[in-house]
Amino acid sequence: QSALTQPASVSGSPGQSITISCAGTSSDIGGYNFVSWYQQHPDKAPKLMIYDVSKRPSGVSDRFSGSKSGNTASLTISGLQAEDEADYYCSSYTSSDTYVFGTGTEVTVL
Amino acid sequence: QLQVQESGPGLVKSSETLSLTCTVSGGSISSNHFYWGWIRQSPGKGLEWIGSIHYSGRTASNPSLKSRFTMSVDTSKNQFSLKVNSVTAADTAVYYCARPLYTGNYFFWGQGTLVTVAS
């Protein structure tokens, strides 16, 4: 199965908003509302930030929001903070009853 | 609070079999309908979903990884395991075990265990 496509890097200044895209197909993102987003700091395990396209687990800041349009999902980080600097991965359920991750996006806070 | 923790050899020789175990604490591996997951990350690379297993033994696997990967569960020990046959340098990675909130949305993660395949 092919990885979902994300931009390699996205950057923004503190306080700004940034959006990370995650492109898939009708067999994954487009076909199901089971898209998740993970944040990963260096040498740390990933942290679930968004699930089911737009839901936030308890404890995750409301500055993080998710959406989907067609075969593309997006993660928006509002009020960018230095602590948001990390790698971000999307993930989706697929028609093969499996899961696939995105290629990953490095977020830099300028 | 539920916790999962990977354990493994750290170093394995090329063509040999890699065995990893994930120990669950703070909860039962047999509870509810969770599929416990394995994810790996090669050095400097992205996350790769390996597969998941239910306490009943039912599994779901990444078709791209073919049949070298085998998952099993031991409910008496509250553990689940991953075996990788005929390892190569491409299998060098940090291996994570995880439990989802309900399905595929991995919320509880282990710290990861680095496995290096030596020639």
Side-chain angles (χ1 to χ4, degrees):
Chain A
Q1 56 191 15
S2 299
L4 306 173
T5 302
Q6 299 179 231
S9 62
V10 173
S11 62
S13 300
Q16 287 186 330
S17 293
I18 61 170
T19 297
I20 303 168
S21 61
C22 173
T25 69
S26 58
S27 295
D28 38 64
I29 292 176
Y32 309 92
N33 287 323
F34 295 134
V35 177
S36 299
W37 288 92
Y38 299 87
Q39 175 191 66
Q40 187 180 34
H41 286 110
D43 298 321
K44 298 293 186 182
K47 176 185 178 182
L48 181 67
M49 305 300 284
I50 295 287
Y51 68 100
D52 292 356
V53 177
S54 60
K55 298 178 182 177
R56 281 187 306 275
S58 175
V60 172
S61 170
D62 60 5
R63 297 187 298 104
F64 292 85
S65 61
S67 62
K68 187 186 88 166
S69 178
N71 298 337
T72 299
S74 299
L75 173 72
T76 298
I77 307 175
S78 304
L80 198 62
Q81 299 180 0
E83 66 204 51
D84 301 330
E85 188 162 288
D87 293 329
Y88 291 82
Y89 295 90
C90 58
S91 174
S92 175
Y93 177 74
T94 81
S95 59
S96 300
D97 195 25
T98 62
Y99 290 87
V100 61
F101 283 99
T103 51
T105 298
E106 180 181 23
V107 168
T108 301
V109 181
L110 301 172
Chain B
Q1 174 78 339
L2 185 118
Q3 292 185 324
V4 292
Q5 178 67 61
E6 309 87 354
S7 57
L11 182 67
V12 63
K13 293 183 179 179
S14 182
S15 79
E16 294 188 341
T17 296
L18 164 64
S19 294
L20 296 170
T21 297
C22 182
T23 301
V24 179
S25 58
S28 171
I29 198 171
S30 303
S31 65
N32 297 314
H33 52 274
F34 301 119
Y35 273 75
W36 303 79
W38 287 102
I39 299 101
R40 71 177 181 177
Q41 186 171 34
S42 299
K45 302 296 184 182
L47 300 172
E48 181 176 35
W49 184 79
I50 297 172
S52 59
I53 185 166
H54 188 261
Y55 75 86
S56 64
R58 286 174 291 175
T59 61
S61 301
N62 186 333
S64 299
L65 299 178
K66 299 186 180 179
S67 60
R68 291 193 304 118
F69 293 71
T70 304
M71 293 174 286
S72 61
V73 62
D74 187 336
T75 56
S76 67
K77 294 182 178 179
N78 226 28
Q79 295 176 333
F80 59 106
S81 299
L82 175 70
K83 285 190 176 181
V84 186
N85 295 326
S86 305
V87 297
T88 69
D91 294 311
T92 292
V94 174
Y95 286 77
Y96 294 101
C97 62
R99 199 213 85 178
L101 273 179
Y102 60 91
T103 181
N105 37 34
Y106 296 105
F107 184 75
F108 300 98
W109 291 73
Q111 64 184 25
T113 185
L114 174 63
V115 175
T116 301
V117 178
S119 57

